[in-house]
Amino acid sequence: MKLKTPLTLVTLALTAVGIISSANAAEKVYQVGSNMAFAPFEFVENGKPAGFDMELIVAIMKTQGAEVQLNNLPFDGLIPALQAGTIDIAMSGMTITEERQKRISFSEPYYDNGLVVMIRSADKDTYKSVDDLKGKTLCAQIGTTGAITVSKMSGKNVKLFNNGPEAFMELANKGCEAVIHDKPVVNYYIAKRGDKGVLVLPGQLNSEKSGIGVAKNNKELLKMVNDGLKAVKENGEYDRIYKKWFGQ
Ligand code: ARG
């Protein structure tokens, strides 16, 4: 297991897109936090933030005349960072849950998501459905809905990792029997690597909606984000970015 990314903001250079002219340089730069090991939503490519969420948040804030800086943080540090005010926005494929809504405010949903189960292909006759995995050693990413799900299924018999790819590695190394993680991320990982050693059980465990997080009751920023989301849906930017990362 790799060392945790330090909680200090690791600021990564932002691509030219979205940076507005120096005439506005005195204006606030919104600090966005994201756990960038979640392709195709957010990842680091050639030292720069890339992916659906990263392009979308830049586009959203641009419609509001606002500049953003993208910061790579541990996923379980995002809500505390919003609460502490070290970041303004959490854009990290974060599922809108009741529990999280007690601590932060979410935008309107921007993506329909859900969890899937990944197993080693060699085990396909042993584990045919999620029920076969109850009580087995299961892997997930710390602080995620996947982590909550595996804990419910296997209690203490779970291994949690700083990011999805570390959990996938543990599965490959037979450190656990399955990983529960977000469907598009699991599918992207398998497709990118052409990995035949693992597979996804048919069906989705649930339906989740991703939202953009801001500090609780920051109504002004929440309105900016929601207005921006509406604007990019209307002006075609949302569709363009969606197609680029998810096809169709
Ligand atoms: N959708 C899941 C959740 O909200 C996982 C999100 C993980 N995001 C990330 N960038 N690693 O719990």
Side-chain angles (χ1 to χ4, degrees):
M1 199 159 133
K2 267 201 311 195
L3 280 179
K4 242 184 150 161
T5 318
L7 248 172
T8 45
L9 298 187
V10 182
T11 302
L12 289 161
L14 170 64
T15 42
V17 254
I19 299 196
I20 47 174
S21 73
S22 52
N24 292 323
E27 278 180 18
K28 180 174 167 65
V29 175
Y30 289 85
Q31 299 297 326
V32 175
S34 186
N35 178 236
M36 301 178 193
F38 198 64
F41 292 94
E42 45 261 345
F43 57 104
V44 179
E45 194 175 50
N46 305 320
K48 290 198 183 102
F52 177 74
D53 280 353
M54 300 294 90
E55 290 187 22
L56 186 61
I57 194 63
V58 169
I60 285 173
M61 294 304 279
K62 196 176 174 186
T63 67
Q64 306 300 300
E67 192 180 331
V68 299
Q69 192 159 23
L70 305 172
N71 306 283
N72 197 0
L73 293 178
F75 187 74
D76 62 344
L78 292 172
I79 291 180
L82 281 177
Q83 291 174 320
T86 42
I87 58 169
D88 302 298
I89 296 172
M91 183 62 162
S92 201
M94 194 183 280
T95 302
I96 303 172
T97 68
E98 252 175 57
E99 193 272 329
R100 288 172 181 161
Q101 275 171 325
K102 291 181 187 145
R103 299 191 284 157
I104 61 169
S105 297
F106 282 100
S107 68
E108 293 298 318
Y110 71 90
Y111 187 87
D112 288 328
N113 205 344
L115 298 172
V116 290
V117 183
M118 179 178 173
I119 60 165
R120 287 181 298 275
S121 305
D123 291 336
K124 69 175 189 314
D125 298 325
T126 316
Y127 304 129
K128 289 192 172 348
S129 84
V130 67
D131 293 330
D132 300 331
L133 286 155
K134 288 210 172 105
K136 304 280 176 202
T137 305
L138 303 177
C139 283
Q141 182 185 7
I142 297 173
T144 62
T145 50
I148 296 169
T149 308
V150 294
S151 300
K152 278 187 189 146
M153 287 172 61
S154 290
K156 290 207 159 35
N157 231 358
V158 302
K159 291 186 181 172
L160 302 180
F161 292 84
N162 290 323
N163 59 57
E166 285 177 18
F168 304 156
M169 214 83 87
E170 185 72 3
L171 174 69
N173 293 336
K174 303 195 174 166
C176 55
E177 299 304 291
V179 179
I180 297 190
H181 204 53
D182 302 52
K183 179 178 180 174
V185 174
V186 170
N187 286 339
Y188 190 89
Y189 179 86
I190 295 176
K192 261 266 140 102
R193 296 162 50 105
D195 198 335
K196 301 263 188 295
V198 288
L199 57 83
V200 179
L201 289 184
Q204 227 171 270
L205 292 188
N206 64 358
S207 295
E208 303 187 349
K209 287 184 187 305
S210 321
I212 302 163
V214 302
K216 195 149 180 71
N217 300 325
N218 187 345
K219 296 213 172 68
E220 197 184 325
L221 181 55
L222 190 61
K223 183 172 169 11
M224 271 175 90
V225 170
N226 277 328
D227 287 352
L229 179 58
K230 193 161 176 268
V232 296
K233 285 200 168 171
E234 281 166 9
N235 72 13
E237 270 289 277
Y238 181 96
D239 288 342
R240 187 189 64 76
I241 299 170
Y242 189 99
K243 271 207 193 91
K244 173 171 171 188
W245 292 103
F246 300 109
Q248 298 308 306

